[in-house]
Amino acid sequence: AVLALLDTAEQQANDGDLEAAADSMERAMRIDTRNAALWYHLATLRLSQGNPAAAEQMAVKSNSLATGNRTQQARNWNLIARARRSRDDEAGAQEAERRARALR
């Protein structure tokens, strides 16, 4: 069910319906609340919707769930950098990028 909802959310996002995509992601997350990838995907949607603060919070949550998954953590830090940059926090963005590079 989670994969089907993820596929649905991806199609909705590709169709430009970001709100429906976010709703589908939230349904998937209710099924699998500890899935770091789902938190990351919802964070990317929130950033696309113009909500960088929520995106950063969700990426931080994803990082807390991705213990040992350096690839996912690096993706999260890159997303955090984009969110911070969109809020004109260049120093914070550079720090997030540094943390992402350290995980590679």
Side-chain angles (χ1 to χ4, degrees):
V2 170
L3 289 177
L5 286 166
L6 184 57
D7 287 343
T8 298
E10 184 176 327
Q11 184 59 52
Q12 290 165 325
N14 289 339
D15 291 342
D17 192 349
L18 298 180
E19 195 58 44
D23 289 344
S24 294
M25 286 302 305
E26 288 172 353
R27 282 196 302 274
M29 290 170 62
R30 283 193 292 276
I31 296 167
D32 190 0
T33 60
R34 301 199 47 79
N35 186 321
L38 294 178
W39 282 94
Y40 169 81
H41 287 296
L42 185 56
T44 63
L45 285 169
R46 293 298 183 220
L47 187 58
S48 295
Q49 290 176 312
N51 192 341
E56 183 171 346
Q57 288 175 329
M58 290 174 185
V60 168
K61 174 67 174 181
S62 178
N63 263 345
S64 74
L65 297 171
T67 304
N69 185 341
R70 295 169 65 91
T71 300
Q72 182 64 58
Q73 290 175 329
R75 291 172 72 196
N76 288 327
W77 280 111
N78 283 320
L79 178 62
I80 290 167
R82 292 195 324 262
R84 288 177 178 175
R85 193 162 276 121
S86 74
R87 291 193 328 255
D88 296 323
D89 178 4
E90 187 58 33
Q94 289 178 6
E95 172 61 17
E97 288 169 341
R98 185 195 63 74
R99 294 186 75 168
R101 281 191 305 274
L103 289 162
R104 293 190 188 127

